[in-house]
Amino acid sequence: MEDPPAEFGECSKDSEVAPALIAVHPSQDSVAVAVGSDLRVFDLRCSEKRVTAVAISNGGLYVCFADKFGVVWIVKLDGLDGENVVIKKADPMLSHYCSIITSLEFSPDGKYVVSADRDFKIRVTVFPKKPLDGAHEIQSFCLGHTEFVSCLAFVCTQEYPQGFLVSGSGDSTVRLWDIPSGSLLNTCEIGEKAGLLESNDGETECCSAVTDLCTSLDGSLVAVAVQRQVPEYSLLQGIVILNCDLSSRTLSHAKVVSICGGTFIPTSLRTCSATGLLWMVTGVSDLHVSEHPSLARVRVISGFRKSNPDSHQHEPLLLEDNEIPAGTKLLEKLQGSLSYSEEDFLAAAEAVKKAMSNLLIKKQYSAENREFRKRTRNDKKGKP
């Protein structure tokens, strides 16, 4: 019998960062929201299955999370006073029929909840007035990716408040979608445009999978995390910055912000709209080969906002640790340590690659093994 997939690690947020921030526990046991000095944490372990994606509704009234069998659950957050621990029952809202859901997002207008899976699909579901009773109306499907869909984000402007969807995938592309119709508007080849597919010997076959993305507040920029894969190696060359022009419905390559070393593979990207900072974290939990069982490393890129094309003053730039807000005090709080050995980072990078591969890449089984897994799958436990 096969071993279960590896779980993700741990991350938290520090209340000294003034803009509102959200963080998801990399093993996705909880969701934390920091607003000024107020830190609110919601426990998601009421799910019987491993959580693979999380989203909070625009008004903060609901949290949705998906389990490894493709079911999206919903919890209503009213009645939480922030002081006492309250265990609330989750209700099933929709299903992707046994395909692992990799990302969940609410549309900017709150009309839709969008879910992506590792079977290349993006589903747009109308968010109902009574979501605890289930969401049964499918608005559209966004189809076009040829590998797992790893991440979703919305871009919107004052001219386009309803927003457009951007998605990243293992097929080395970021795509722009109109979600009411499911129409594909534009495709940006990340590996080709950023030059990440070129190997040293010019012959080694490699692939660049998009692992996460996020957008600037004005919708003009998209930051893309890439995991580059070649035989026996998996190296992140940097964060790819894309220009997003909603008037022409296009995505275009702007810049690659290099990150030294191949051991920093971001598991999550988030942006701070007030300062134009792009926050990145890599990390894992249960790292048994290291003296640090839960390892996290935070990096920050400045200039994640649209600037004058003729000006280089605000171009995206990787900050040194002493240049980020609150400096070493923030890092010590979020990381648990200011420094890790190279051996620990190598072990963490291997664990991240394995966890992402287990989550995103669908394994191929023989017909006999498929039938055996159907008979022994544990989501049937407890059912009559």
Side-chain angles (χ1 to χ4, degrees), residues 13 41 55 64 78 98 107 133 163 201 234 245 273 357 379:
K13 286 293 178 185
V41 180
C64 295
D78 63 333
C98 298
S107 62
D133 295 334
D201 56 16
S234 181
D245 187 345
S273 58
S357 176
D379 63 326

Side-chain angles (χ1 to χ4, degrees), residues 62 126-134:
Y62 298 97
V126 176
F127 190 65
K129 293 182 179 179
K130 297 180 178 180
L132 298 182
D133 295 334

Side-chain angles (χ1 to χ4, degrees), residues 314-383:
H314 300 296
E315 284 193 354
L317 178 68
L318 183 68
L319 297 181
E320 298 295 333
D321 289 348
N322 60 357
E323 296 176 321
I324 70 173
T328 57
K329 185 176 181 180
L330 179 141
L331 290 177
E332 188 171 14
K333 176 69 174 180
L334 295 184
Q335 297 178 176
S337 175
L338 292 178
S339 63
Y340 296 102
S341 68
E342 184 64 20
E343 290 77 12
D344 288 339
F345 262 119
L346 288 173
E350 288 300 319
V352 168
K353 287 183 291 181
K354 182 178 180 181
M356 287 184 170
S357 176
N358 285 333
L359 173 64
L360 298 173
I361 300 176
K362 192 170 185 177
K363 296 180 180 179
Q364 301 299 321
Y365 298 98
S366 66
E368 182 180 355
N369 282 341
R370 285 199 298 270
E371 290 301 319
F372 175 76
R373 289 173 63 82
K374 287 180 182 179
R375 294 194 303 268
T376 59
R377 49 186 284 191
N378 64 4
D379 63 326
K380 295 182 180 180
K381 291 181 179 180
K383 293 183 181 181

Side-chain angles (χ1 to χ4, degrees), residues 144-163:
H145 282 297
T146 58
E147 290 290 345
F148 59 84
V149 183
S150 55
C151 45
L152 303 171
F154 276 91
V155 289
C156 57
T157 64
Q158 292 182 347
E159 294 79 12
Y160 304 99
Q162 77 281 3

Side-chain angles (χ1 to χ4, degrees), residues 144-292:
H145 282 297
T146 58
E147 290 290 345
F148 59 84
V149 183
S150 55
C151 45
L152 303 171
F154 276 91
V155 289
C156 57
T157 64
Q158 292 182 347
E159 294 79 12
Y160 304 99
Q162 77 281 3
F164 294 90
L165 182 71
V166 288
S167 61
S169 169
D171 61 12
S172 300
T173 68
V174 173
R175 303 186 186 227
L176 183 67
W177 308 86
D178 175 69
I179 61 170
S181 64
S183 300
L184 176 62
L185 303 176
N186 194 238
T187 300
C188 186
E189 298 283 347
I190 297 300
E192 177 183 335
K193 290 183 178 294
L196 295 178
L197 294 183
E198 297 179 1
S199 59
N200 293 332
D201 56 16
E203 297 179 356
T204 304
E205 181 181 357
C206 53
C207 174
S208 294
V210 176
T211 56
D212 199 12
L213 53 77
C214 69
T215 62
S216 61
L217 178 64
D218 61 4
S220 63
L221 297 175
V222 181
V224 184
V226 179
Q227 182 176 331
R228 180 173 181 261
Q229 297 180 349
V230 300
E232 299 181 1
Y233 295 96
S234 181
L235 304 175
L236 177 73
Q237 301 283 20
I239 298 296
V240 181
I241 307 295
L242 304 180
N243 288 320
C244 181
D245 187 345
L246 294 185
S247 60
S248 62
R249 313 291 199 271
T250 57
L251 298 167
S252 60
H253 170 250
K255 185 178 181 179
V256 175
V257 182
S258 297
I259 301 176
C260 296
T263 56
F264 189 90
I265 303 174
T267 53
S268 182
L269 301 178
R270 291 296 181 269
T271 184
C272 172
S273 58
T275 61
L277 296 180
L278 177 67
W279 295 76
M280 306 171 288
V281 65
T282 186
V284 289
S285 64
D286 300 323
L287 197 60
H288 301 297
V289 298
S290 168
E291 64 181 64
H292 303 282

Side-chain angles (χ1 to χ4, degrees), residues 58-107:
N58 298 352
L61 185 57
Y62 298 97
V63 59
C64 295
F65 58 97
D67 66 27
K68 61 181 290 188
F69 293 107
V71 179
V72 176
W73 302 80
I74 187 167
V75 176
K76 194 172 184 180
L77 299 182
D78 63 333
L80 302 181
D81 58 15
E83 296 181 0
N84 300 315
V85 176
V86 179
I87 304 299
K88 306 197 73 173
K89 181 179 180 296
D91 294 293
M93 188 175 72
L94 60 91
S95 174
H96 271 229
Y97 306 105
C98 298
S99 180
I100 289 182
I101 294 175
T102 55
S103 186
L104 286 172
E105 289 288 338
F106 281 90
S107 62

Side-chain angles (χ1 to χ4, degrees), residues 11-25 30-44 54-63 77 80 82 270 334:
C11 162
S12 62
K13 286 293 178 185
D14 186 75
S15 59
E16 290 186 356
V17 181
L21 300 174
I22 182 171
V24 179
H25 190 289
S30 60
V31 177
V33 172
V35 184
S37 60
D38 187 9
L39 179 64
R40 308 161 187 169
V41 180
F42 183 79
D43 190 353
L44 292 173
V54 180
I56 296 178
S57 63
N58 298 352
L61 185 57
Y62 298 97
V63 59
L77 299 182
L80 302 181
R270 291 296 181 269
L334 295 184

